[in-house]
Amino acid sequence: MDAVIYTESGQEYEMLSGILEYESPGIMVSRGIMDGSFHLEHEYDIAVVGVDGAFGMELVCKYREMYGNTLVVWITDDRYFAGVAIRTRVFGFIVRPLEETQFQEVARKIVEGDIAVWQRMPAKNSVYQTGCACEENVSGRKNRKIWKTVIS
């Protein structure tokens, strides 16, 4: 089993990787590259995204679209991302402040195999499709009807 952790905090990385290694001896844990780009070259068994804001949301969405078998745990400071977490079928959603026991519980469920079938399916057409204010149709003109559909 292997895992990747995306976080800017060295202290948070040490805590999360320590919990994963304790709950699943022999797991290979690596730190995701955080340089403003998506580095999703490898499919992991577990991806922990401890990134706040829009970049964290985009990282979760892209990971779920590309790698449906990966169990994604999302740690964020914004509880309003819960709707996105449901639509993208993340395995665990934790709102900061992060407590060790919250992540331990999620890690334990993964190791025990307490995983629903839908959590291993890719999230096609996630939030990128539903939040658009407008999109161009084939003729190149803007179609503003999408916005009315989304907000009504």
Side-chain angles (χ1 to χ4, degrees):
M1 186 180 287
D2 62 348
V4 62
I5 300 174
Y6 295 93
T7 181
E8 294 175 357
S9 166
Q11 183 178 1
E12 185 173 83
Y13 173 78
E14 292 301 321
M15 179 188 73
L16 297 172
S17 63
I19 291 170
L20 285 173
E21 290 166 353
Y22 177 80
E23 294 294 334
S24 181
I27 190 170
M28 299 298 296
V29 181
S30 59
R31 189 165 188 173
I33 299 169
M34 299 284 299
D35 64 359
S37 298
F38 296 118
H39 295 277
L40 309 174
E41 297 85 14
H42 176 73
E43 181 173 12
Y44 292 89
D45 296 310
I46 304 165
V48 180
V49 179
V51 182
D52 297 329
F55 185 73
M57 179 192 71
E58 290 174 8
L59 184 57
V60 167
C61 292
K62 291 304 286 181
Y63 219 100
R64 292 296 301 134
E65 288 174 11
M66 290 179 65
Y67 303 116
N69 268 340
T70 299
L71 298 172
V72 176
V73 180
W74 189 3
I75 303 166
T76 182
D77 65 348
D78 192 341
R79 70 182 66 251
Y80 295 105
F81 282 135
V84 176
I86 291 168
R87 283 192 301 274
T88 56
R89 303 179 184 127
V90 301
F91 183 80
F93 182 75
I94 301 172
V95 179
R96 295 184 197 278
L98 174 64
E99 296 178 20
E100 285 186 39
T101 55
Q102 293 172 302
F103 188 70
Q104 286 171 336
E105 183 179 328
V106 172
R108 201 167 295 128
K109 285 182 179 182
I110 291 171
V111 171
E112 292 172 356
D114 188 7
I115 303 162
V117 174
W118 56 268
Q119 290 171 317
R120 289 251 191 221
M121 302 168 107
K124 301 274 186 201
N125 300 328
S126 64
V127 295
Y128 296 117
Q129 296 289 325
T130 58
C132 303
C134 60
E135 70 177 20
E136 290 189 27
N137 60 22
V138 179
S139 67
R141 296 184 335 183
K142 301 277 184 181
N143 180 359
R144 303 218 182 260
K145 290 181 182 176
I146 293 173
W147 181 253
K148 291 180 181 174
T149 318
V150 171
I151 62 171
S152 52

